[in-house]
Amino acid sequence: MINRLLDFLNASPVNFLAAKNICDELEKAGFRRIDPTQPLGEVKAGDRLFVTKNDSSVYAFRIGRKTMADSGFHMICAHCDSPTFRIKPNAEMTCEGGIVKLNTEVYGGPIMSTWFDRPLTLAGRVIVRGADALTPKTLLMHVKRPLLQISNLAIHFNRQVNDGVKLSKQKDVLPILGIVNDELERGNLLVNVICDELKIDRKDILDFDLYLADASPSCTFGVHDEFISSGRLDDLSMCFAGLEALLAAPAGDVTQVLAIFDNEETGSQTKQGAGSPFLSAMLKRIALAQSGTEEAYWQAVERAFMISADNAHAWHPNYSEKFDPTNHPVLGGGPVIKFNAAQKYASDAVSAAVFAEICREAGVPCQRFVNHSDVAGGSTLGNILASSIPLRGVDMGNAILAMHSCRETGSVADHEYCVRAFTCFFSMN
C-alpha cells in the first residue's frame, strides 16, 4: 500500500498530474468519464461516473442501489494542490556569465527556506494551438530530471543566517535554470525545455501553467521504515487514501462520492475549488436523473455525510510548547478529527462522534486536534463546501510534521489506518 502511495506522489508533482493520475486509476476500475456539456441521461444503480474541471479537479460517483433522495450520499473530499512557486510569463532573466534564472511567484504558503539547495524540476500544463481560438489543446508536462535549483547565499556574506532571515519572494527564491551557451539560446532556454520535453514547435505554444517541484523521490525512513518523507503529503496523501477506499469498497445502497478539489491553498474560490457550485450542480443533475425532481437533491443533502480530508499538525518533539496541552495528535496515532471554536473546521460534536464510530468499526485508532489558544490555525475544505452544500460533515486528516515544507513527514501506519477508515465509511449503508 505504501509503495503505491509513493509511486502516486512521485508521479504527481502538481495538481494537473495528480488529477490525471486519479482519472487514469478510475478508468482502469471501470469508471466512465462524463462530459458536463452533454445531457447526463439515465443514471442506474451501480453506475460508475467521473467528471473533471479545469484539468485539475476530479469528481467520482458510484451510484447506489437506492436513490440519493432515499439514502443520501457518502462523500470524501480532499485537495490536490500544494504550496509551490509558479513560473511567471516572460520568466527568463539572464545575468552575468550567461546564468539564467526564472522569475517566479509564490503559490500558497510554502516554507520558502526548505526549497533552497535541492534539485528541482518543472511540471504543469502547456497550452498549444487547437482547431480554433476557443478550443486550444492542453499538454501535461513533467520534466523527470533535476533541472533547477534555488541557491542560498554563503554564510560568509550573511553571518546572521542562522539567527533567522527574512526572505524576499521576488529576490531570494528565483531558481537557476542554466547557462546560455550561444546567442540563439538567449531568452529561449525555458521554451527550448518545453519544446524538447513535449516534442512540439515553439510557434504552437500559446501559454503555460508551470510550477517548481522537488526532483527527489518520495521515500520511507526511520529505524522501522515507519515514516514517509515526501513533498505534497498535504494533501495528496488524503486524495490517494480516498481513491484507494473508493476502489476497494463494494457497491451498496448509498451513492459514494470522491471529490478532489483544486486551489485550497489559495482560498478555494475558483471554478475548480471547494467554493465553486460545480459539485452541487453535478449532484443535482444526478438526483434529478434518478427521481425526476430537484427536490430529491435537497433530500439527499439532508441524509448525506461528508468527510473533509486535509492533513493535521502532528506533535513536534522539538516544539511541544506550540501545541494544545491536551489535544495534540502524534505520528502513528491514527486519523485526527479537527476542531475550531471559530468554525474554521466543519467538525462538531455530532459529526466527530460519527467519524470516531467509523474508526472504531474499522478497528482504527482516532485522535483529536485543537489549536493552542495562542496560535492561529488555518482553514480547510469542510466549512467552505458546507457553505454551499449544507452537509453534515467532519474535518479530519492524518498528522504530519513540517506542513507546507518542500518535504513533509507522515506516518506509514496512519496512511494504512486512514484507508481502512475511509473504506469502512464508503461500505456503510
Side-chain angles (χ1 to χ4, degrees), residues 1 76 235 237-238 241-242 245 305 307-315 327-339 347 351-370 394-400 410-425:
M1 179 183 293
I76 295 173
D235 193 35
S237 62
M238 294 291 95
F305 193 85
I307 295 176
S308 167
D310 197 0
N311 288 119
H313 297 292
W315 178 80
N327 297 281
H328 47 263
V330 296
L331 291 170
V336 179
I337 302 171
K338 303 193 287 189
F339 295 91
S347 309
S351 62
V354 169
F355 185 74
E357 279 295 285
I358 292 169
C359 289
R360 186 187 63 79
E361 291 191 21
V364 167
C366 184
Q367 307 182 86
R368 284 165 169 77
F369 170 80
V370 184
V394 64
D395 269 306
M396 56 72 62
N398 279 343
I400 64 171
S411 161
V412 168
D414 285 341
H415 182 71
E416 294 170 348
Y417 288 147
C418 195
V419 173
R420 282 165 55 187
F422 285 179
T423 304
C424 180
F425 171 61

Side-chain angles (χ1 to χ4, degrees), residues 90-94 98 100 102 177 180 182-192 202:
N90 305 311
E92 289 189 37
M93 305 169 73
T94 304
V100 174
L102 295 184
L177 176 62
V180 172
D182 59 55
E183 282 302 310
L184 292 177
E185 287 189 331
R186 189 175 295 274
N188 294 315
L189 275 191
L190 178 58
V191 171
N192 289 347
R202 62 182 300 120

Side-chain angles (χ1 to χ4, degrees), residues 96-168:
E96 285 195 43
I99 293 177
V100 174
K101 61 183 180 181
L102 295 184
N103 194 7
T104 63
E105 59 180 328
V106 174
Y107 178 87
I111 304 175
M112 294 193 295
S113 62
T114 64
W115 288 75
F116 282 60
D117 302 319
R118 64 170 67 239
L120 303 173
T121 190
L122 285 175
R125 64 179 178 180
V126 177
I127 311 303
V128 299
R129 285 192 171 82
D132 56 63
L134 290 177
T135 55
K137 290 172 58 179
T138 297
L139 303 177
L140 300 185
M141 188 176 100
H142 178 192
V143 181
K144 296 180 180 179
R145 66 180 178 92
L147 186 66
L148 311 101
Q149 182 170 288
I150 303 170
S151 291
N152 254 306
L153 181 65
I155 194 170
H156 309 81
F157 301 126
N158 185 4
R159 296 288 183 179
Q160 289 75 45
V161 65
N162 291 323
D163 299 326
V165 174
K166 182 175 176 57
L167 296 172
S168 164

Side-chain angles (χ1 to χ4, degrees), residues 258-419:
L258 177 66
I260 306 299
F261 296 105
D262 192 12
N263 303 130
E264 189 275 343
E265 300 293 355
T266 55
S268 296
Q269 301 303 311
T270 61
K271 61 186 179 298
Q272 58 275 0
S276 166
F278 184 78
L279 174 59
S280 62
M282 290 305 305
L283 290 167
K284 284 177 185 176
R285 291 171 71 173
I286 293 171
L288 183 62
Q290 286 182 319
S291 303
T293 170
E294 195 169 302
E295 180 71 18
Y297 166 73
W298 297 109
Q299 291 175 277
V301 168
E302 291 303 311
R303 292 187 167 101
F305 193 85
M306 166 192 67
I307 295 176
S308 167
D310 197 0
N311 288 119
H313 297 292
W315 178 80
H316 196 303
N318 295 342
Y319 303 96
S320 60
E321 72 279 3
K322 294 292 185 181
F323 295 83
D324 184 78
T326 61
N327 297 281
H328 47 263
V330 296
L331 291 170
V336 179
I337 302 171
K338 303 193 287 189
F339 295 91
N340 184 267
Q343 306 302 305
K344 290 186 176 181
Y345 301 134
S347 309
D348 56 26
V350 174
S351 62
V354 169
F355 185 74
E357 279 295 285
I358 292 169
C359 289
R360 186 187 63 79
E361 291 191 21
V364 167
C366 184
Q367 307 182 86
R368 284 165 169 77
F369 170 80
V370 184
N371 275 300
H372 187 292
S373 296
D374 294 329
V375 178
S379 59
T380 183
L381 300 165
N383 58 340
I384 294 172
L385 187 58
S387 66
S388 59
I389 308 176
L391 293 162
R392 275 194 314 161
V394 64
D395 269 306
M396 56 72 62
N398 279 343
I400 64 171
L401 293 173
M403 187 180 289
H404 289 197
S405 173
C406 189
R407 287 185 82 90
E408 299 159 328
T409 295
S411 161
V412 168
D414 285 341
H415 182 71
E416 294 170 348
Y417 288 147
C418 195
V419 173

